[in-house]
Every structure is written in structure tokens, then in C-alpha cells.
């Protein structure tokens, strides 16, 4: 599974800048990010090229953060493909906690990152189904080296 | 008018005589009815019969809020439970709440001092009074109720909250007297203006405001906005509730009913009396109470006292507005809150002590707002937003359950709460009071 860094952050000017600053100083490349906002605070979710290292550095700088497993699925950048994916999830009755996507190569390849609520059994069945449908679950290195 | 002119205007020497006689009787009463006091007197070698005049009071030990907590529920009472007609409970510093109880005589005393209070503020038996202090375990609402009943006023027991309804009732019934916290009075003025009405045309002419500290500028603001005379009332449940002291029309100090609540002003560190006019801690002895009479109760409120006879004719001494506290108690919308209570709530959540800060402010609504900033720590951090939200909600609910105060809980990043010498500054009070 791919790793994502979740960071607790207050919703006020300069907070995101302080995090990008730390990453930049340490030459860490951000592949994708999203922010889940809850008014006064939020969670920043980052996909970076060196997740373990980035997590240690951020924690060392006193930020409340965690490394979390996410399902990163490679999707062909063509109409209808996200729908094919969500249909599988829906048929398996899998709930999505959070998700975001990004295009890697326009017209060719996109990635969908998913945090889902499920048990181990259902998860392995889901993996099989995704493979049958031709979706590729990206492992750590595949994702970071894209 | 003066409700009890015979005692309120008693010549000083006669007043001292009365206080002395009552103190002598009180000491004997608690000695034979309350084991806690008996043991304490015995330990200090105080023979009740040796207390004969009011100046002997300095020989008696102090009573503190801690004593009330340690002997919860009935240990400090001098009357048996079945002699109590009413009890009131307020939240304590930590652990046990503070319990007070009234016998029939005590309720008569409360009615009497509250009638004196309403009169002192300028009330008349023909008046209509709107009581917008909370009714219930809080002593504010019922205290005013009993006093107004004693005086024979027409009572509108609106209790606190429901501002629009309060305003409608004021318009329909034209009460001349309004009783509530000063911040709520300002809030009502805003709401009246928001309805497109002129707050200066309200029927209220006299306000009896208390249960929270307030300043002279705040008084001027209330008076100019509502077009009323705003007077200050002082009390605490341990002594009786509201009705310990009240300003007269000259607003030059609060008349303390010293024939029943004997005041002393002491240096909180040495326990010795301070010079007349100097600031010190107010200590009160309830000279005539039966249920839970208290000897030299340390109120923790800092005031000064003036024993000169007032222009209004009353000889009862006048205390200043509350100038501060000797402990860290804060008053939020009339409710006493100790930072330790909030700490206790936070400790109870997942068993970790987070860094926190309490910020109190009066927003646009003029009502006290309390923000509790809780620092994220590795122990309480969750990488799921739902869990962070539920943590926030849980803290809010627990605080509501323990303190009966609605607080905004704000989760903040680690190391953002300033620490001075390793210990964080727990309370920031931005209110101008």
C-alpha cells in the first residue's frame, strides 16, 4: 500500500507555508496534496517521494502528523473510468472516508487515492475485483517514482 | 424607601451591640450543633462563652470553600437535614459541588435581605419586576423571587435566556425593574435595537445587576443604552445567594447588611485586618443563619470597605465593587468556573493532560464567550478528521455537563500555547471589566 502523510493544521494564514517550507528545505517532492477543512482546523494530506523521511522531519518539528496507508489506483485518463471504479466500490458496499485524484499524464494516466472503511476480507476481495477490471493498485515506490 | 429602617439605619454603637449579641449566640449555636466547628474550637481552646462582643471575632478561625468541600454534603450544617426547606448546589473547584441549605428561618432571612436589596436599588411595592436571573439550583432567580414576594411586587419570573421573549414581555407588561447579569442587560439592549426599537424607550427604569464583575464604564454603557439606573448587587451562595450587599441610589459602594452578614476585610496572606479603605479579602460571618451558618467565611473577593454613614441614611457599611479575586476563579455568565475544573475534564479524556488555554472574551453580543484551546499532542492526535471532530465534541459536552457553561473548543497545533517557565498561562481574560 502507498503511504500518505496526514498533518493536523490550524486554519490561519501562514500554516501551509510553514509545512511546504520544511519540505522544501529537506528537498522532499510533493506528488499530490489535499486539505480536509473543518473550520478552525483541518488535515493536510500529502503524497511525497520520501514519506518515511518526511514524516520524521515533520514530527521532529513538532507537528501532529501520521503516516497512513492509502489505496492509490492508477486509472486511464478517459471518460467513464472513475465511474467504473466507484461502481466496484459501491457494489461491494465499501464506504469512502476521503478521496482525491490527480492526472499524471493528460489523456493517458490518472491516479485516484482512496481512504476506505472496510475489513480485511472485504479488502482482499476488493483487490481481486479491481485487478479483474484492469485497475492497477500502485505500491509505494511505483507511486513515488511516477 | 428603606425596607428595614430600624436596622439599616441603626446608630453605629447600637449596631455593634447587636452584632456582638448575635455573634455570641451564633458561636454557642454552632458549637453545640456542628461537630466540625466544635472540634475546631476545642482544638484552638476557644470557649464559646468567652466570645461576648463583635471585636472578639478575630479570635475565631476562618472557614473556607475547601471546608465546604471536605465536609460535603452536610458536615458543616448546624441544622439536621429534615429542618432544611430548600437546598442549592453549585459546582465546586474540583470533585464535590458546594451545597447550601436553608431552614424556614433562613428563607425568611433571605426574603428579608432581598427585599432590602430591591428597596435599596429604588424599588417600590407597587412595581413590576422582571427577574431574568436563572431559576433553579443557581440562587439568583429564586433569591430575587423571594425578596419581591416579601415586598409585594408583581413578579415576572422570566428566568434567563430567550431574549426575544424577554423583550416582548417587557413591552406587554411594562416592568419598571430588570434583574439580570450586566452583560445580559447589554445583550438585551442590542436585541431591542436589532428589532428596530429604541432601547432607551424600554419600560425598565432600574436595573439590579450582578453575579459577575463589571466596571464603571460598563455601568455607563448600560445606563446610556437602556436609559436606566444600573445598580450593583453582591452575593454568594455560601452566605445566602444574592442579597449580601446592594448599591443605593448614590451608587457609592454596596451596602452590606452587617447586622446579619458581618464583614471583615483582611490581608489574604496574613489573615490580619487591613486599614479602613484599603483593599483586602472580604470575610463574612453569617450572624443569624440556622441551616449552614458560617464563621469568618473567606469569600476570596477583593474589596475595600467604608464605614461612614451614607447620604441615603443607612449606617450599614459599604463595600466597593469587586476588584479581583485571591484565587483563580473566573466568572462566566454568572457561573463560577475554576481552571482546575476544566483541567479535570481534559484529564478525564483519554487520560492524557493536553496543554490548554482558556480565553474569555465578550463578543459582539456582549455575552461572555469562552474558548478552550486544546493543543494537539501525539497522544490525542488522530489522522481521521471524524475522530478529531468527535474529540472536540466530547470535550464540549463534558464541560457543559460539569460546569453548565457552553464553551467553544478549538484544537490547535502543538507548541502554539505560550509557556512561561515551563508552565502555560492558563487563562486569558480579554473582557474589560
Amino acid at each position: 500500500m502507498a503511504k500518505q502523510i496526514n498533518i493536523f493544521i490550524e486554519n490561519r494564514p501562514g500554516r501551509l507555508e510553514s509545512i511546504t517550507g520544511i519540505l522544501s528545505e529537506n528537498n522532499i517532492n510533493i506528488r499530490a496534496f489535499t486539505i480536509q477543512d473543518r473550520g478552525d482546523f483541518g488535515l493536510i494530506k500529502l503524497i511525497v517521494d520520501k514519506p518515511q523521511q518526511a514524516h520524521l522531519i515533520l514530527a521532529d518539528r513538532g507537528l501532529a502528523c501520521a503516516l497512513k496507508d492509502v489505496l492509490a489506483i492508477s486509472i486511464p485518463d478517459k471518460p467513464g473510468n472513475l465511474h467504473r471504479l466507484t461502481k466496484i466500490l459501491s457494489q461491494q458496499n465499501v464506504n469512502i472516508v476521503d478521496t482525491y485524484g490527480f492526472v499524471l499524464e493528460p489523456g493517458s494516466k490518472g491516479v485516484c487515492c482512496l481512504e476506505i472503511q472496510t475489513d480485511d476480507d472485504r479488502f482482499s476481495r476488493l483487490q481481486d475485483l479491481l485487478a479483474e477490471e484492469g485497475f492497477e493498485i500502485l505500491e509505494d515506490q511505483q507511486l513515488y517514482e511516477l | 424607601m428603606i425596607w428595614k429602617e430600624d436596622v439599616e439605619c441603626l446608630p453605629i454603637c447600637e449596631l455593634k451591640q447587636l452584632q456582638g449579641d448575635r455573634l455570641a449566640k451564633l458561636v454557642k449555636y454552632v458549637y453545640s450543633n456542628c461537630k466540625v466547628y466544635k472540634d475546631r474550637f476545642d482544638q484552638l481552646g476557644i470557649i464559646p462563652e468567652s466570645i461576648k462582643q463583635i471585636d472578639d471575632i478575630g479570635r475565631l478561625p476562618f472557614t473556607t470553600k475547601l471546608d465546604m468541600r471536605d465536609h460535603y454534603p452536610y458536615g458543616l450544617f448546624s441544622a439536621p437535614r429534615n429542618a432544611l426547606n430548600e437546598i442549592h448546589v453549585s459546582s465546586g473547584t474540583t470533585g464535590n459541588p458546594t451545597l447550601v441549605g436553608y431552614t424556614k428561618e433562613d428563607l425568611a432571612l433571605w426574603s428579608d435581605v432581598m427585599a432590602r436589596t430591591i428597596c435599596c436599588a429604588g424599588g417600590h411595592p407597587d412595581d413590576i419586576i422582571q427577574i431574568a436571573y436563572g431559576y433553579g439550583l443557581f440562587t439568583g432567580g429564586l433569591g430575587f423571587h423571594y425578596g419581591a414576594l416579601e415586598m409585594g411586587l408583581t413578579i415576572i419570573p422570566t428566568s434567563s435566556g430567550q431574549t426575544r421573549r424577554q423583550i416582548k414581555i417587557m413591552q406587554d407588561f411594562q416592568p419598571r425593574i430588570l434583574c439580570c447579569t450586566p452583560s445580559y442587560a447589554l445583550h438585551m439592549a442590542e436585541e431591542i435595537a436589532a428589532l428596530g426599537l429604541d432601547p432607551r424607550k424600554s419600560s425598565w427604569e432600574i436595573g439590579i445587576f450582578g453575579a459577575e464583575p463589571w466596571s464603571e464604564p460598563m455601568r455607563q454603557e448600560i445606563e446610556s443604552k437602556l436609559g436606566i439606573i444600573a445598580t450593583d448587587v453582591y452575593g454568594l451562595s455560601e452566605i445566602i445567594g444574592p442579597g449580601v450587599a446592594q448599591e443605593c441610589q448614590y451608587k457609592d459602594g454596596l451596602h452590606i447588611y452587617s447586622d446579619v452578614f458581618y464583614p471583615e476585610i483582611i490581608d489574604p496572606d496574613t489573615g490580619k485586618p487591613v486599614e479602613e479603605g484599603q483593599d483586602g479579602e472580604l470575610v463574612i460571618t453569617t450572624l443569624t443563619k440556622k441551616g449552614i451558618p458560617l464563621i469568618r467565611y473567606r469569600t476570596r473577593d477583593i474589596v475595600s470597605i467604608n464605614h461612614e454613614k451614607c447620604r441615603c441614611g443607612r449606617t450599614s457599611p459599604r463595600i466597593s465593587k469587586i476588584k479581583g479575586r485571591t484565587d483563580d476563579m473566573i466568572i462566566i455568565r454568572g457561573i463560577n468556573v475554576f481552571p482546575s475544573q476544566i483541567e479535570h475534564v481534559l484529564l478525564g479524556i483519554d487520560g492524557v493532560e493536553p496543554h490548554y488555554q482558556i480565553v474569555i472574551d465578550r463578543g459582539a453580543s456582549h455575552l461572555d464567550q469562552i474558548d478552550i484551546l486544546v493543543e494537539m499532542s501525539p497522544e490525542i492526535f488522530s489522522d481521521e478528521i471524524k475522530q478529531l471532530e468527535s474529540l472536540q465534541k466530547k470535550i464540549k459536552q463534558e464541560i457543559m455537563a460539569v460546569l453548565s457553561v457552553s464553551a467553544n473548543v478549538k484544537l490547535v497545533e502543538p507548541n502554539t500555547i505560550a509557556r512561561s517557565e515551563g508552565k502555560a498561562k492558563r487563562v486569558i481574560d480579554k473582557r474589560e471589566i
Side-chain angles (χ1 to χ4, degrees), chain A residues 87-132:
Chain A
K87 202 168 170 184
I88 296 170
L89 294 168
S90 133
Q91 278 167 353
Q92 291 301 306
N93 202 25
V94 170
N95 194 35
I96 301 169
V97 175
D98 192 26
T99 182
Y100 53 96
F102 52 101
V103 172
L104 274 178
E105 293 163 34
S108 156
K109 200 187 219 175
V111 177
C112 179
C113 291
L114 286 166
E115 282 174 51
I116 56 173
Q117 230 173 4
T118 186
D119 52 45
D120 287 353
D121 275 2
R122 216 186 277 170
F123 184 66
S124 71
R125 199 157 59 236
L126 181 67
Q127 276 180 310
D128 295 344
L129 277 171
L130 289 169
E132 275 172 36

Side-chain angles (χ1 to χ4, degrees), chain A residues 34-117:
Chain A
T34 179
I35 296 176
Q36 237 181 327
D37 168 48
R38 282 298 180 277
D40 287 341
F41 70 91
L43 278 184
I44 299 185
K45 303 182 172 185
L46 292 170
I47 301 281
V48 298
D49 58 350
K50 289 168 275 189
Q52 315 280 358
Q53 195 191 336
H55 175 235
L56 285 178
I57 291 164
L58 291 166
D60 207 43
R61 296 289 277 265
L63 288 146
C65 57
L67 264 187
K68 196 176 168 75
D69 286 333
V70 282
L71 200 55
I73 300 164
S74 162
I75 303 181
D77 184 16
K78 296 275 154 46
N81 280 324
L82 183 60
H83 178 62
R84 281 206 300 132
L85 174 63
T86 53
K87 202 168 170 184
I88 296 170
L89 294 168
S90 133
Q91 278 167 353
Q92 291 301 306
N93 202 25
V94 170
N95 194 35
I96 301 169
V97 175
D98 192 26
T99 182
Y100 53 96
F102 52 101
V103 172
L104 274 178
E105 293 163 34
S108 156
K109 200 187 219 175
V111 177
C112 179
C113 291
L114 286 166
E115 282 174 51
I116 56 173
Q117 230 173 4

Side-chain angles (χ1 to χ4, degrees), chain B residues 367-383:
Chain B
L367 296 178
D368 294 344
Q369 286 170 8
I370 170 163
D371 286 339
I372 298 174
L373 311 185
V374 180
E375 228 177 55
M376 262 303 127
S377 67
E379 290 84 6
I380 58 173
F381 173 63
S382 159
D383 56 11

Side-chain angles (χ1 to χ4, degrees), chain B residues 250-318:
Chain B
Y250 296 107
K251 293 182 279 193
D252 187 17
L254 291 82
H255 287 279
I256 179 160
Y257 311 122
S258 64
D259 59 303
V260 285
F261 306 132
Y262 185 75
E264 296 170 84
I265 313 294
I266 62 157
D267 176 328
D269 298 323
T270 64
K272 298 273 176 261
V274 299
E275 299 276 321
E276 170 98 6
Q278 297 294 305
D279 290 349
E281 182 180 338
L282 176 63
V283 172
I284 300 175
T285 300
T286 62
L287 295 174
T288 58
K289 261 170 72 176
K290 295 290 178 209
I292 177 167
L294 296 176
I295 292 194
R296 305 190 85 197
Y297 183 72
R298 308 263 312 232
T299 66
R300 302 284 173 199
D301 286 319
I302 295 173
V303 300
S304 60
I305 199 162
N306 175 4
H307 279 92
E308 277 172 40
K309 183 177 169 180
C310 180
R311 279 176 285 169
C312 72
R314 290 176 180 84
T315 49
S316 48
R318 282 164 287 158

Side-chain angles (χ1 to χ4, degrees), chain B residues 113-125:
Chain B
V113 290
M114 279 312 298
R116 294 193 210 179
T117 295
I118 297 166
C119 252
C120 193
H124 191 271

